[in-house]
């Protein structure tokens, strides 16, 4: 036992410094807390700077060359739940706001693969490299007390000399509501308007149709189009309520295969399902579980819709449900591989492969699953298995 413990200690002694400095993107080196406190004391003594800094109507902080906080506004202290600036000293921006990826590596914020597409760290690094102000947008997901929340921040990093030393003034502006409005307008003015236009066109054709069989066919399509329209509006209302913490959840006993078949029956008439096949895995487990029927259906429909949209005409997607310990998992698979840079931004509210102001499917899946159904969502995308999204509740 002594030999094993000794060997383990030696391994940790050699391994931890390596891991501590490991980075996939920004430099990992950190300033020790004594030096951070010394820098903070110098800045705190600069009365004119403090007066100007305090007049800025935004969340702000001063960073050193290693992207660590040495000074901060009262707004950032209050907004993110710190008791005093002392609690914030030495943290990097992502660590200060509890970014989902800030703890991926021991060196913290800026060092994970996901950080390579983060506007915040890119703005800081660009201002360090060029010596001029840099402004970028950052979609950041935070997890606080088990609850997921997404921000869209406009991040500005400006080089500044204080007491003959180089620092970086970081300004964070929350533009989440602005982005939400833009997305909602895009959805209503584009997707929903298109659907409403299609429905209107079908009804015009129906008025002129004299063949009863053809009229019945048009009527059925109109009914499905109308249902899709209502579903899209309901989704937006649910997401709004979920983000505000007002979404009511009703847990009840459900059957896994019933839920899966029901979701498939609702999506198979959607435009994305045209000329595509959905196959239910024959090994799917028929089991009882507790969840909110409407929300789990919404989540599965979004998973199926995303997979169908990523599949060419004539293609196939697979779906199933399985037992994972005491939990129930639903999965949806398609053959398309998600590009690496896109994988790093999956689940971000403001990100979409469909273009600016489009698509909040994966974001809503994570929001509803993890904040309201006590579950988890994950995905795997590679050449061997295509893309598989799994929701466990």
């Amino acid at each position: 036992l002594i030999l094993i413990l000794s060997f383990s200690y030696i391994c940790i002694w050699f391994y931890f410094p390596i891991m501590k400095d490991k980075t996939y993107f920004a430099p990992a080196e950190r300033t020790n807390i004594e030096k951070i406190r010394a820098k903070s004391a110098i800045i705190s003594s600069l009365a004119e700077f403090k007066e100007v800094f305090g007049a800025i109507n935004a969340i702000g902080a001063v960073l050193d060359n290693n992207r660590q906080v040495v000074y901060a506004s009262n707004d950032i202290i209050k907004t993110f739940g710190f008791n005093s600036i002392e609690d914030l000293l030495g943290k990097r921006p992502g660590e200060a706001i509890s970014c989902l990826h800030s703890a991926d590596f021991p060196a913290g914020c800026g060092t994970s693969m996901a950080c390579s597409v983060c506007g915040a760290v890119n703005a800081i690094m660009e201002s360090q490299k060029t010596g001029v102000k840099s402004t970028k947008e950052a979609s950041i997901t935070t997890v606080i007390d088990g609850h997921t929340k997404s921000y869209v921040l406009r991040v500005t990093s400006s080089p500044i000399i204080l007491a003959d030393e180089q620092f970086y003034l970081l300004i964070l502006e929350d533009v989440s509501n602005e982005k939400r409005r833009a997305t909602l307008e895009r959805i209503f003015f584009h997707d929903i308007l298109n659907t409403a236009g299609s429905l209107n066109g079908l009804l015009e054709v129906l008025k002129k149709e004299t063949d009863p069989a053809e009229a019945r066919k048009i009527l059925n399509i109109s009914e499905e189009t109308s249902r899709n329209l209502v579903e899209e509006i309901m989704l937006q209302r649910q997401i709004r309520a979920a983000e505000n913490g007002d979404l009511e959840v009703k847990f009840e006993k459900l059957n896994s295969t019933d839920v899966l078949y029901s979701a498939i029956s609702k999506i198979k008439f959607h435009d994305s399902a045209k000329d595509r096949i959905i196959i239910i895995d024959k090994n799917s487990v028929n089991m009882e579980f507790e969840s909110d029927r409407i929300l789990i259906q919404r989540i599965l429909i979004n998973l199926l819709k995303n997979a169908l949209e990523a599949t060419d005409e004539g293609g196939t997607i697979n779906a199933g449900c399985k037992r994972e310990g005491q939990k129930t998992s639903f999965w949806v698979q398609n053959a398309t591989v998600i590009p690496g840079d896109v994988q790093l931004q999956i689940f971000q509210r403001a990100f979409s492969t469909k273009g600016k102001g489009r698509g909040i499917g994966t974001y809503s899946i994570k929001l509803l699953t993890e904040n309201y159904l006590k579950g988890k969502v994950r995905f795997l995308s590679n050449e061997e298995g295509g893309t598989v999204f799994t929701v466990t509740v």
Side-chain angles (χ1 to χ4, degrees):
L1 180 60
I2 292 171
L3 285 171
I4 292 170
L5 289 173
S6 299
F7 180 72
S8 299
Y9 177 79
I10 291 168
C11 287
I12 292 171
W13 190 78
F14 278 105
Y15 179 69
F16 184 73
I18 296 171
M19 282 300 296
K20 184 177 67 175
D21 294 329
K22 186 173 181 180
T23 180
Y24 275 97
F25 187 58
E29 183 182 353
R30 299 186 77 109
T31 310
N32 66 52
I33 194 61
E34 289 78 16
K35 289 182 179 178
I36 291 287
R37 289 195 181 107
K39 294 172 189 285
S40 181
I42 291 171
I43 294 174
S44 297
S45 69
L46 303 174
E48 289 184 0
F49 169 76
K50 287 177 64 178
E51 185 176 345
V52 173
F53 187 68
I56 296 173
N57 188 27
I59 295 172
V62 179
L63 310 180
D64 73 353
N65 282 315
N66 289 325
R67 311 184 309 283
Q68 291 169 255
V69 174
V70 295
Y71 189 77
S73 66
N74 288 328
D75 285 338
I76 197 171
I77 294 168
K78 292 175 184 176
T79 301
F80 296 106
F82 293 97
N83 295 318
S84 68
I85 190 173
E86 181 66 26
D87 298 329
L88 197 56
L89 291 180
K91 293 184 182 294
R92 286 174 173 158
E95 297 152 12
I97 64 177
S98 301
C99 171
L100 182 67
H101 299 289
S102 62
D104 285 355
F105 282 93
C109 169
T111 60
S112 76
M113 287 182 283
C115 297
S116 64
V117 292
C118 173
V121 69
N122 274 288
I124 297 166
M125 291 177 66
E126 185 173 290
S127 68
Q128 288 179 326
K129 182 179 179 180
T130 62
V132 296
K133 179 175 73 173
S134 175
T135 301
K136 296 185 183 297
E137 242 178 44
S139 296
I140 295 176
T141 300
T142 67
V143 179
I144 301 174
D145 296 329
H147 285 269
T148 301
K149 185 172 182 179
S150 287
Y151 294 93
V152 182
L153 303 174
R154 185 176 293 122
V155 182
T156 300
S157 176
S158 303
I160 185 172
I161 302 293
L162 297 171
D164 298 323
E165 189 171 346
Q166 181 72 67
F167 293 98
Y168 297 87
L169 183 61
L170 189 73
I171 301 298
L172 307 177
E173 298 173 82
D174 189 352
V175 294
S176 303
N177 289 334
E178 177 185 321
K179 290 296 176 179
R180 288 187 183 102
R181 282 195 300 272
T183 300
L184 197 59
E185 286 177 6
R186 175 68 178 179
I187 288 168
F188 272 90
F189 293 153
H190 184 276
D191 299 355
I192 291 181
L193 189 60
N194 281 350
T195 305
S198 297
L199 180 59
N200 185 66
L202 286 166
L203 294 175
E204 288 291 331
V205 173
L206 183 62
K207 283 197 303 184
K208 301 174 183 177
E209 185 57 59
T210 57
D211 183 354
E214 194 64 27
R216 171 56 59 184
K217 182 179 178 182
I218 295 170
L219 190 61
N220 288 339
I221 297 172
S222 299
E223 184 181 13
E224 288 301 326
T225 304
S226 175
R227 186 178 293 117
N228 290 338
L229 184 63
V230 173
E231 286 287 315
E232 187 63 50
I233 295 170
M234 288 291 291
L235 170 62
Q236 300 308 317
R237 189 171 74 171
Q238 283 179 332
I239 292 173
R240 177 70 178 271
E243 290 179 323
N244 292 338
D246 298 329
L247 187 63
E248 294 183 5
V249 179
K250 181 183 177 183
F251 281 85
E252 58 181 300
K253 282 190 176 180
L254 302 171
N255 180 278
S256 58
T257 52
D258 285 351
V259 167
L260 184 59
Y261 275 100
S262 178
I264 291 172
S265 69
K266 289 178 179 178
I267 195 67
K268 68 181 181 181
F269 293 108
H270 193 275
D271 287 343
S272 62
K274 186 179 180 181
D275 297 325
R276 295 165 179 83
I277 300 169
I278 302 174
I279 296 176
I280 297 179
D281 188 85
K282 63 181 180 180
N283 295 317
S284 291
V285 175
N286 188 1
M287 60 184 290
E288 284 194 343
F289 68 105
E290 287 194 356
S291 192
D292 182 290
R293 182 185 298 275
I294 293 174
L295 293 190
I296 192 66
Q297 285 276 300
R298 168 70 62 204
I299 290 163
L300 291 178
I301 288 170
N302 275 344
L303 285 177
L304 291 163
K305 183 181 177 184
N306 287 347
L308 288 165
E309 288 177 346
T311 302
D312 294 332
E313 288 187 11
T316 299
I317 73 167
N318 298 283
C321 46
K322 58 185 177 181
R323 186 190 302 274
E324 290 191 18
Q326 298 300 310
K327 298 178 181 180
T328 303
S329 287
F330 296 91
W331 56 269
V332 176
Q333 182 267 345
N334 68 279
T336 305
V337 179
I338 303 173
D341 61 329
V342 175
Q343 291 190 39
L344 298 175
Q345 299 174 81
I346 291 289
F347 303 129
Q348 299 286 11
R349 194 192 202 286
F351 176 76
S352 172
T353 58
K354 301 176 184 178
K356 189 175 180 180
R358 297 291 309 283
I360 47 176
T362 55
Y363 165 75
S364 69
I365 290 166
K366 187 174 183 67
L367 174 70
L368 297 175
T369 301
E370 300 189 358
N371 282 16
Y372 291 91
L373 298 187
K374 306 174 185 177
K376 289 289 180 184
V377 56
R378 63 186 188 273
F379 75 94
L380 183 64
S381 187
N382 54 43
E383 294 291 343
E384 292 75 25
T387 297
V388 183
F389 274 84
T390 304
V391 167
T392 302
V393 293

